[in-house]
Structure formats: structure tokens, C-alpha cells
Amino acid sequence: MSPILTISGLHKSFGELEVLKGIDLTMQRGDVVSLIGSSGSGKTTLLRCVNLLEDFEQGSIELAGEKIGYREDGAGQRRRLSEREVARQRAMTGMAFQQFNLFPHMTAIRNVMLGLIKTKKMPKDEARAVAEKWLERVGMAARSDHYPGQLSGGQQQRVAIARAIAMNPQIMLFDEVTSALDPELVAEVLAVVRDLAVDGMTMLLVTHEMRFARDVSTKVVFMHQGRIHEEGTPEEIFGAPKTERLQGFLANSEI
Amino acid sequence: MSLLDGLGDTILISVSSVVLGTILGVFVGLAMTYGQKWLRFIVRLYIDFLRGTPVFVLILACFYILSVVGVDLTAFQAGVLALTLFCSSHVGEIVRGALSAIAVGQTEAAKSIGLTFVQTFIYVLLPQALRQILPTWVNTATEIVKASTLLSIIGVVELLLATQQVISRTYLSLEFYLFAGFVYFLLNFVIEQAGRAVERRISIP
Ligand SMILES: Nc1ncnc2c1ncn2[C@@H]1O[C@H](COP(=O)(O)OP(=O)(O)O)[C@@H](O)[C@H]1O
Ligand SMILES: [Mg+2]
């Protein structure tokens, strides 16, 4: 089976600061990969590169057999794809953000329908039906006509996940989707993510919830200072960490 | 009768200037927010120049200077042009402010569902920005109504000049000036109330 996502030799700098120093990562369809690591190690930046929200200087990202973000012109020069191409490729990945980022002037269902109508060119009725289905899946069907301001953080995050996943992406990216939530709201969001994982959704997620990462992941990747420092199955990473750094990191995390 | 004509002209001048000025102003605000450095620089000059010049002078300039360089506008057109430019500089400034106040996460969320820049602007950013600028924009609209009186100096028979003409026939200056003042007040009162009503209607829960 050919991989759904192949990241090779990815380098990314912000000015002088090199944040990703050569990342290689391969995912198969249905994989659930958790990125862990201390703050500033480059986890968010890696997700944002996959979602093409950041430029990157070196390396390549291949999604479902297609190189994304850049192409090589006749002279072998690396060139950013046109805005339209990039927009199309972005829709192949779904992203859930730490801060939800729902559109405050639209009801929950409108939030979900927007991409379906504008990007997927779905007729309104069909878009509404798809949106209803996903809101139902995340347990938000009863609130589909509420505005984000009328929802709790956990409810907003569930709508945001529905908005991303309704686009039928090849892979879902989750960036610490529970870290902006009050503790009592974390479980409802994790339950939704877990559900999607069980259903076979391909996911790359950044999380501080170690117990959760251990439960849902097929692979865990520990990042340190812009590199993959150690990777393995949840049992290997949490049960028998090899490097001192990872041991230190885990000792300081709640499990 | 001529008073009614004057009132009609005042309304027509104000509405066209506000509508055209707002459309132009949105582009000015866009250029200020997303433009390249050189474009932002030029647009900044445009805004500062127009905001720093008395409207009175703008009107004279549009009427006299343009005709010197061979662009022949009627007094009415020149007046509307001046007020449109004035309005666009104000709207440009408030649109820029509103756009830069929107969290960058909004744009990123829009991008991540595959919207292009133009779609992001139309469906995500503009509706939020417009809600935010509405109160200030209503203010600008009332300023334009007041500034429309200045068109009398280039001979546009709007409400003020029409009133003065009636007064010169009837010598009832106090009565007619009071009447004109009352009509201006009424116009702006209606604009403000309409603005509030719209604000309530589109406010986000
Ligand atoms: N837009 C940016 N401009 C400059 N530096 C940034 C930017 N975004 C992130 N960084 C830096 O990149 C490094 C990695 O950040 P990030 O990917 O957010 O780490 P993590 O998600 O693992 O906490 C940090 O040092 C951070 O300060
Ligand atoms: Mg992060």
C-alpha cells in the first residue's frame, strides 16, 4: 500500500531561527500518529506545513501521491504553486486549531456548510445534509442554529472538528485541540477525536494528553528542537523510552 | 417647490457620495491591509492628504483644478467627486482598522477549508469588518450630509442654496434657516436610527 503522507527532509526557518531541521515521516491510511514534545519543539509548525499555512525552504510533502505546495519548473527550480492550486490542496487536509477559529458571524451549521458550498461547489441542500450528518456525529445536532458565541468551548471545538472533517479530507490534523479548554470540557472533545480514530480516519495530532496519545495512536513521535528524537508504538514510547530526553520529558508529563 | 428640489439634490449628492466613497474606501482599506509596501505607502499618502485637506478646499479643487487640466465636470459631478474622495479616505481608514483587528486564526481557518483569498475576504473577513465599522460608518455618512452644504459655493442648488434663494425672495431668513436646519437634523436623525436598527439586526449573538 502506498503511503497517504510522506514528509521527507523537511526544513523550515523563521528568519534566522531554524524550527524544523529535517523531518521525515510516513503515514499509511488509517494511521493515528501523535506528536509529543516540549513547547517550542516545532510540532505546530510541522502541522502548519502539512496544511500549507507555512512556507518551507527544503524537503517535500507528498499527500495521496501528490507533491503539495511546490513544484519544480523546467530548470529544476522550486516554485510555490498558484494560490488556487494551494487552496485546492489545503482542502485535502483538515485542520482543527487550538483556538477553534469558528466564524463568529455564522451559525454552527453555516460554519460547516461554507467550505462545502464554496470549495466543493455542493448545492446548498446537499451541503446542509452533509453538515447535519457531521454535526450529529460530534453531538452538536441540537445546536446547529447556535452562533459560536452561544456555545461552550468544548461545543465550539466539536463544531470546528465537524467543519474540518465534513470536507472529507485525506488526513485530519489536530493541534492541541483541548489545551484551550476548561478541564471539565476536555473529555467531550477527546471522545469525538477517539471516535474518529476508531472509525479509521487518518490523523496526525499534537497533544499534551499522554494517556490519550497512548490509547488512540498507532505511532507516537517525540520531537525535540526541530527534529524527531524518538518514535515508536505507544508501548515502546511510553513503556520503554530509549533516549534520556524522552525519559525526562515523560517524567515531567502527567500520565 | 425649489426647496423640495434642493432637498432632493442634497439626498442624491449624499447617497451617491456615500455609496461610491464606501466602495472605493473598501478597496483603500484592502490595499492598506494586504498591499505591497509601495502600494501601502501610496495609499497612506492618499488617505493622509484627503483627511488633512478641508472639504471646502477639496470641492474647489475638484471643480476648478480639474477643469484647468481639461476634465470638464458639472458642478454637481465635481461636488460628488470631492465628497466621494473624502468619504473613501475615512472608510479606508476604518476598514483597515477593522480588518487588522480580526484574529489571524479566522483567515487560517478559512484557508484550511480551501477558500481562496477572495472568498476568504468576501465570506469571512468583510462581514465581520462591516459589523464592526457600522457605527463609525454611520457617523461618516452624517458628516457627508453636512458637508454637502459646501457644494453651494460652486453653485450646486442643494438644500442650503435653495433655502438662501427662497430667503432672497421672501426675506423670511429666520424661518427658512430654521426650517433648513431642522431638515438637516431630521436627515441625520433618520440615518442614525436606521444605522442603529441595522446594527441590532446584524449583531452577532
Ligand atoms: N510565526 C512565527 N514567527 C517566528 N517564530 C515562530 C513562529 N511560529 C513559531 N515560531 C517559533 O518556532 C518554534 C517552534 O514553534 P511551534 O511549532 O509552535 O512549537 P510547538 O508547537 O512544539 O510548541 C518556537 O521557537 C517558536 O517561537
Ligand atoms: Mg504548538
Side-chain angles (χ1 to χ4, degrees):
Chain A
M1 208 167 68
S2 60
I4 188 84
L5 178 73
T6 310
I7 301 173
S8 356
L10 182 65
H11 286 258
K12 159 79 191 162
S13 303
F14 290 108
E16 297 284 281
L17 180 71
E18 191 173 36
V19 172
L20 298 178
K21 303 170 183 165
I23 301 287
D24 297 287
L25 184 69
T26 306
M27 288 177 67
Q28 302 291 336
R29 223 172 271 277
D31 276 357
V32 177
V33 174
S34 292
L35 295 174
I36 61 172
S38 47
S39 162
S41 56
K43 307 179 297 291
T44 296
T45 306
L46 178 56
L47 285 199
R48 290 170 59 86
C49 285
V50 176
N51 203 204
L52 297 179
L53 290 174
E54 301 285 357
D55 299 336
F56 49 92
E57 295 85 37
Q58 251 187 74
S60 67
I61 302 176
E62 208 171 292
L63 185 65
E66 182 179 344
K67 279 235 164 64
I68 62 171
Y70 300 86
R71 64 181 172 80
E72 277 178 13
D73 67 10
Q77 281 285 343
R78 190 164 174 272
R79 296 202 180 278
R80 184 82 172 167
L81 292 173
S82 72
E83 204 225 335
R84 192 160 287 280
E85 274 295 287
V86 168
R88 182 183 64 75
Q89 293 179 334
R90 269 202 197 104
M92 292 163 63
T93 57
M95 178 104 161
F97 302 86
Q98 203 170 339
Q99 302 294 340
F100 333 137
N101 298 340
L102 286 179
F103 308 130
H105 58 297
M106 296 181 189
T107 58
I109 193 155
R110 289 267 157 198
N111 263 276
V112 183
M113 287 166 67
L114 184 65
L116 298 174
I117 294 171
K118 300 302 168 194
T119 306
K120 295 232 169 215
K121 312 283 178 215
M122 254 184 214
K124 261 208 172 116
D125 294 343
E126 193 186 338
R128 180 172 293 279
V130 173
E132 273 167 0
K133 184 187 91 181
W134 282 107
L135 286 174
E136 174 91 54
R137 264 301 295 276
V138 300
M140 290 297 297
R143 306 263 155 130
S144 62
D145 290 325
H146 285 52
Y147 285 86
Q150 301 169 312
L151 301 173
S152 74
Q155 292 171 332
Q156 288 187 54
Q157 189 60 290
R158 286 188 279 153
V159 173
I161 291 172
R163 175 178 68 182
I165 212 161
M167 299 295 292
N168 194 22
Q170 303 278 346
I171 177 171
M172 268 298 294
L173 311 167
F174 295 87
D175 189 8
E176 290 191 36
V177 286
T178 58
S179 59
L181 297 176
D182 294 335
E184 71 271 18
L185 301 177
V186 169
E188 62 185 72
V189 172
L190 290 186
V192 165
V193 181
R194 183 190 308 264
D195 237 34
L196 296 170
V198 170
D199 247 34
M201 183 82 216
T202 313
M203 319 205 288
L204 180 56
L205 50 101
V206 175
T207 183
H208 282 164
E209 304 281 337
M210 294 302 151
R211 190 189 304 274
F212 180 73
R214 181 177 210 157
D215 287 353
V216 301
S217 311
T218 51
K219 179 156 96 176
V220 179
V221 171
F222 171 62
M223 284 185 65
H224 180 69
Q225 294 183 351
R227 290 199 174 82
I228 293 182
H229 199 76
E230 192 170 335
E231 60 186 305
T233 63
E235 293 74 28
E236 287 164 353
I237 292 292
F238 295 107
K242 292 195 200 72
T243 60
E244 243 170 74
R245 285 238 183 272
L246 177 55
Q247 287 160 8
F249 173 77
L250 291 175
N252 288 324
S253 313
E254 295 168 38
I255 299 216
Chain B
M1 194 56 219
S2 69
L3 271 186
L4 260 189
D5 288 345
L7 175 62
D9 264 17
T10 288
I11 292 177
L12 188 61
I13 291 163
S14 307
V15 169
S16 358
S17 307
V18 169
V19 169
L20 295 173
T22 300
I23 295 171
L24 185 57
V26 167
F27 284 102
V28 168
L30 260 174
M32 278 302 287
T33 318
Y34 302 110
Q36 306 267 319
K37 218 171 182 167
W38 62 268
L39 182 60
R40 289 208 307 270
F41 180 76
I42 293 174
V43 175
R44 182 85 259 165
L45 282 182
Y46 171 88
I47 291 180
D48 287 348
F49 175 75
L50 287 175
R51 284 172 44 123
T53 310
V55 187
F56 187 79
V57 176
L58 275 181
I59 292 169
L60 293 177
C62 285
F63 190 52
Y64 293 111
I65 297 183
L66 283 183
S67 80
V68 169
V69 298
V71 183
D72 263 323
L73 298 180
T74 64
F76 183 94
Q77 291 166 338
V80 169
L81 175 63
L83 294 182
T84 296
L85 295 176
F86 173 70
C87 179
S88 77
S89 68
H90 279 261
V91 171
E93 189 69 51
I94 54 185
V95 166
R96 183 201 62 76
L99 284 176
S100 54
I102 297 175
V104 56
Q106 290 289 304
T107 307
E108 297 186 341
K111 281 180 176 175
S112 80
I113 53 174
L115 299 194
T116 60
F117 176 76
V118 174
Q119 290 174 325
T120 301
F121 182 72
I122 294 176
Y123 301 110
V124 176
L125 302 179
L126 194 59
Q128 295 185 54
L130 287 182
R131 280 178 175 79
Q132 212 205 313
I133 71 171
L134 187 66
T136 333
W137 181 79
V138 166
N139 221 2
T140 303
T142 60
E143 287 301 322
I144 296 284
V145 171
K146 287 188 263 176
S148 72
T149 56
L150 295 171
L151 268 61
S152 58
I153 54 171
I154 53 172
V156 177
V157 190
E158 40 64 70
L159 181 58
L160 182 64
L161 189 52
T163 305
Q164 284 169 341
Q165 289 174 350
V166 170
I167 288 171
S168 68
R169 284 201 306 272
T170 61
Y171 301 104
L172 296 169
S173 59
L174 183 64
E175 289 84 343
F176 278 104
Y177 273 132
L178 273 178
F179 175 74
F182 178 69
V183 171
Y184 280 113
F185 165 75
L186 209 62
L187 273 180
N188 279 343
F189 183 75
V190 169
I191 293 176
E192 272 164 22
Q193 289 308 311
R196 294 231 176 91
V198 173
E199 216 175 305
R200 272 193 302 274
R201 250 193 81 87
I202 64 172
S203 80
I204 304 168

